[in-house]
Amino acid sequence: MRLWQGTYARALVLALINVFALPGAALGAEPVFEKYKVPTVGGAEINVEVMRPADNPDAPVILTYSPYNTLAEDTSPNLANDSLGRRYVPMGYARAVADVLGTRNSSGCWDYGGASEQQSGVDLVNFLSAQPWSNGKVAMIGGSYDGTTATMVAARGEDAPGLAAIVPIAGISRWYGYAYGDGVRYFLNSERPTDEGIDTPLAFDFGLARTPPTDPSDPLWAEKLASRANPCESADHTVKGYDRTPDYDAFWLERDYRKDAANITAAALVAHGWQDYNVKQDEGVELYRALTNTPFKRLYMWQAGHSTPGAENWQPLLDRFFDHTLLGVENGVNTEPRVLTEGRSASARSTGFRMEADWPPPGTTEAGIRMGTGSFTDFATTTEEESTRMPEAESSWLFLQGKPLAADTRMTGSARLRLTLSVDRDHAQLAPVLVDVAPDGTTKTVSRGFLNLQYRNGLAEAEPIPPDEPIRATVTFKPQDQTFEAGHRVGVIVQGSNIVWAVPDDPGATYTILRSALTLPLP
């Protein structure tokens, strides 16, 4: 994950760790606090802290497997102020929070979401489900990295039979998609700067994975402290995480949980913000779509950036999800429409929540809009703010737009820009912006797309561009639930760079657009 800095940083990270703000509630009977050391891969051990009801010998476990626990360490025991524990322990659940491999009080090496980290999560779930005070069922929940660990363990399927449910919130489902947009290296975020900060893997190899253990009474404290001096494979992580031609090779396949989604047999409640450009929104949407063998799945999408849900319909849904999956309560959560999605338009931040049978909604079809042709030279300095504020200036981009819409038009999914073009060099990038064009000509960003043209035919291997020869390429925009209002136009700003948002290619490439068409998914 990217880390946040300053006052806003701490507030947001703590929100992601604690997951939900809850009203102050007494725990009632004094809970039991325990710590365990779970043996795992390579002789390492995972530190896990548990808060459980003293009067329930048959408690299901709500687990968060997190690298961020050091940042929340302000009480003893550390779980006493955990919001999920305060809510669910009085209801008979056990609450567990564990330190990711190679962070805080766990030993071993941080693995950038790889096979060792995945195995450590499997071992952790199996340990907790086997405890004499547990009913054998575990749910994993968390936001950002903490949601990623839920998906990585679930992707192991029958290897963790006690994992009954997952709630990945703003989580990664394949690590390549966190670092790269079809071969373009993501950078920051000028719309919501608090969503960004120091990037992965640097934030862990030179940050959280080096944080010292916090329990000097631990017999392995000195060993863990020494291991943080040089995290394993950090050089390899850096090479893979910041490559200019990032082939989708074995390193990334190992960290692709979505490819193994058919193995996931835990019930899933996937939640993601439609405006999340840290862990991009397709990480949640495409995970949901890939789930084929879960007992049931739900998708919750709302209009926000990298955060946790705050609408009043979220907490009741989560309560019912846990009651059904962990306690066997027949409350209908598994038979309702699968999707809750909050839309928006250019004039309304929210058009309200809709229930849909699936995503995209059944009956969604692609409608094509012919765009235009032209040329531009990219100087690797174009900002989204500049191009969307005065699109017709076309100083280093091409502004294309359709005809005014006769009626309100809802887009449910990913728009695609299909191009025939030529470039005067053998490497170049595209970073187009999908915009809503009002009758007065002003624009608002709807979505962003990215493509390294060396990966126009797939991500397996970079393929140089034949200079000045026509090629075909398709740029997929991030999915949205967006309504274009009657009288507005759908527009695309075709550009080679969108600095701040992505690392640009070398300056000076000239692009000639020979043919272009935009397809929109319309229900």
Side-chain angles (χ1 to χ4, degrees):
M1 302 294 101
R2 293 174 177 133
L3 301 183
W4 301 271
Q5 299 170 322
T7 302
Y8 290 110
R10 180 170 176 78
L12 190 50
V13 170
L14 290 178
L16 288 173
I17 295 166
N18 290 330
V19 186
F20 308 106
L22 297 171
L27 282 172
E30 192 68 26
V32 176
F33 291 91
E34 296 172 317
K35 290 185 180 182
Y36 299 95
K37 305 296 182 183
V38 180
T40 190
V41 61
E45 61 181 22
I46 300 302
N47 178 73
V48 57
E49 300 172 38
V50 174
M51 177 171 62
R52 59 184 178 86
D55 56 355
N56 185 4
D58 199 31
V61 183
I62 297 175
L63 166 67
T64 298
Y65 189 30
S66 173
Y68 294 128
N69 293 323
T70 296
L71 300 174
E73 192 144 29
D74 56 9
T75 63
S76 182
N78 198 38
L79 273 175
N81 284 336
D82 176 80
S83 58
L84 283 175
R86 295 202 324 270
R87 183 175 189 90
Y88 289 107
V89 170
M91 298 180 185
Y93 296 89
R95 172 69 173 136
V97 175
D99 302 325
V100 160
L101 188 73
T103 69
R104 193 171 174 257
N105 291 317
S106 290
S107 60
C109 288
W110 179 69
D111 193 34
Y112 197 179
S116 293
E117 189 172 316
Q118 189 177 35
Q119 180 62 49
S120 70
V122 170
D123 293 337
L124 175 63
V125 167
N126 289 340
F127 176 88
L128 290 172
S129 66
Q131 292 309 298
W133 46 260
S134 167
N135 74 349
K137 293 184 177 181
V138 177
M140 294 187 71
I141 183 173
S144 197
Y145 203 126
D146 303 356
T148 304
T149 55
T151 302
M152 76 164 67
V153 176
R156 288 286 297 273
E158 294 180 356
D159 290 343
L163 187 62
I166 58 171
V167 187
I169 303 168
I172 296 169
S173 56
R174 59 173 197 156
W175 281 88
Y176 186 99
Y178 178 74
Y180 300 99
D182 287 338
V184 175
R185 188 44 164 98
Y186 292 131
F187 188 42
L188 299 176
N189 180 333
S190 59
E191 187 172 286
R192 289 183 175 86
T194 54
D195 275 6
E196 301 298 336
I198 304 170
D199 202 359
T200 299
L202 289 178
F204 288 86
D205 280 322
F206 300 96
L208 282 181
R210 293 185 183 237
T211 55
T214 62
D215 183 7
S217 66
D218 184 346
L220 297 179
W221 182 81
E223 179 183 323
K224 292 175 183 177
L225 184 63
S227 73
R228 304 296 153 84
N230 185 26
C232 307
E233 300 180 353
S234 57
D236 190 32
H237 296 165
T238 300
V239 169
K240 292 296 187 180
Y242 303 99
D243 198 348
R244 296 296 293 270
T245 51
D247 293 350
Y248 204 84
D249 57 15
F251 179 90
W252 296 112
L253 285 166
E254 181 180 310
R255 292 159 174 82
D256 183 346
Y257 319 128
R258 202 188 307 162
K259 80 178 189 309
D260 298 323
N263 295 335
I264 297 178
T265 56
L269 172 55
V270 180
H272 220 106
W274 278 125
Q275 308 311 319
D276 190 346
Y277 282 92
N278 182 332
V279 178
K280 310 301 185 287
Q281 51 274 65
D282 52 324
E283 291 297 306
V285 170
E286 294 305 319
L287 171 63
Y288 165 83
R289 296 183 64 193
L291 296 171
T292 57
N293 291 321
T294 59
F296 73 99
K297 61 179 181 177
R298 297 291 301 268
L299 177 66
Y300 184 97
M301 302 293 297
W302 76 106
Q303 291 297 331
H306 194 57
S307 61
T308 56
E312 62 182 12
N313 59 5
W314 168 253
Q315 190 63 61
L317 175 61
L318 183 63
D319 289 347
R320 295 169 64 234
F321 180 78
F322 283 151
D323 285 348
H324 179 77
T325 57
L326 299 182
L327 298 176
V329 177
E330 295 299 333
N331 53 23
V333 71
N334 58 320
T335 60
E336 296 169 351
R338 291 177 170 179
V339 178
L340 263 173
T341 171
E342 183 182 21
R344 74 169 185 174
S345 69
S347 63
R349 180 197 170 280
S350 172
T351 55
F353 279 90
R354 300 176 189 235
M355 298 188 78
E356 302 285 1
D358 208 346
W359 192 265
T364 297
T365 58
E366 287 196 338
I369 303 175
R370 288 190 176 183
M371 303 305 280
T373 61
S375 64
F376 64 93
T377 299
D378 176 63
F379 298 104
T381 59
T382 302
T383 66
E384 184 175 315
E385 287 73 18
E386 175 191 17
S387 62
T388 57
R389 185 175 64 250
M390 46 183 184
E392 293 180 342
E394 294 189 326
S395 62
S396 57
W397 60 83
L398 185 64
F399 179 41
L400 308 174
Q401 56 184 321
K403 297 178 180 179
L405 296 168
D408 289 356
T409 303
R410 182 184 176 211
M411 181 183 75
T412 53
S414 291
R416 289 180 172 82
L417 178 63
R418 305 180 191 277
L419 299 169
T420 301
L421 74 159
S422 64
V423 186
D424 65 349
R425 60 172 54 169
D426 66 358
H427 61 95
Q429 297 179 171
L430 288 169
V433 181
L434 182 68
V435 295
D436 182 304
V437 186
D440 65 2
T442 59
T443 65
K444 287 192 175 182
T445 297
V446 173
S447 188
R448 301 167 181 89
F450 305 90
L451 175 64
N452 182 333
L453 284 168
Q454 295 184 83
Y455 294 100
R456 64 195 179 277
N457 295 320
L459 296 175
E461 185 177 3
E463 179 183 340
I465 305 165
D468 297 314
E469 293 185 17
I471 59 172
R472 291 182 178 179
T474 299
V475 184
T476 301
F477 292 94
K478 300 306 175 187
Q480 293 292 323
D481 186 344
Q482 179 87 19
T483 295
F484 295 90
E485 297 166 341
H488 289 226
R489 299 170 184 255
V490 180
V492 175
I493 298 170
V494 185
Q495 52 196 24
S497 59
N498 187 357
I499 64 170
V500 179
W501 293 89
V503 177
D505 206 332
D506 300 329
T510 296
Y511 300 69
T512 301
I513 308 301
L514 305 170
R515 186 179 297 110
S516 66
L518 184 69
T519 59
L520 302 178
L522 306 180

